[in-house]
Amino acid sequence: VQLQASGGGLVQAGGSLRLSCAASGSFLSIKDMGWYRQAPGKERELVATITSSGSTSYADSVKGRFTISRDNAKNTVYLQMNSLKPEDTAVYTCNAESVHIDHRWSRTYEKTYWGQGTQVTVSS
């Protein structure tokens, strides 16, 4: 499974960006998808997640400003980021939990994949 992220860039404080992350490859389905970010010198933190049915969760720091959504037909997750702040500057990475068939044992299993990061820089 490959995750291709796009949409990062440089924006002024108060501006908006929309990140996209498309999953491709061989899998039965995609379950949870999410966005994480890591700023220089800081730990990676969860930004937002979305289940296959559309239930969402957000870090407190982005609630009310960021919106995560997905297009299940395209296996793509989006992160709409509004009212951006300099402290949102980080490398944003998407992940996805994919479901696969184990034909040998006639069962399914899940595996988490990570995309490459995309840089988001917010200037003050």
Side-chain angles (χ1 to χ4, degrees):
V1 176
Q2 297 81 42
L3 297 176
Q4 182 66 46
S6 60
L10 173 64
V11 65
Q12 288 188 330
S16 298
L17 282 174
R18 189 190 194 212
L19 306 183
S20 300
C21 177
S24 62
S26 179
F27 49 84
L28 184 62
S29 63
I30 298 288
K31 296 183 70 176
D32 295 355
M33 302 184 83
W35 288 96
Y36 292 73
R37 67 185 181 186
Q38 186 168 21
K42 294 189 175 181
E43 299 274 326
R44 184 171 65 188
E45 63 172 347
L46 173 66
V47 177
T49 62
I50 185 167
T51 68
S52 57
S53 60
S55 296
T56 60
S57 66
Y58 297 91
D60 288 341
S61 58
V62 307
K63 281 181 182 176
R65 301 187 297 122
F66 290 11
T67 302
I68 189 170
S69 62
R70 64 189 285 172
D71 184 334
N72 288 333
K74 297 181 179 180
N75 294 311
T76 300
V77 62
Y78 306 96
L79 186 67
Q80 178 66 45
M81 304 184 293
N82 299 328
S83 302
L84 282 161
K85 305 175 181 179
E87 50 264 42
D88 294 319
T89 295
V91 174
Y92 285 70
T93 305
C94 61
N95 80 344
E97 186 179 45
S98 56
V99 180
H100 303 265
I101 297 175
D102 184 335
H103 293 286
R104 180 178 181 184
W105 301 106
S106 299
R107 66 183 182 187
T108 61
Y109 65 94
E110 298 160 5
K111 191 170 183 180
T112 298
Y113 290 87
W114 293 85
Q116 90 287 5
T118 184
Q119 177 70 46
V120 171
T121 302
V122 184
S123 62
S124 57

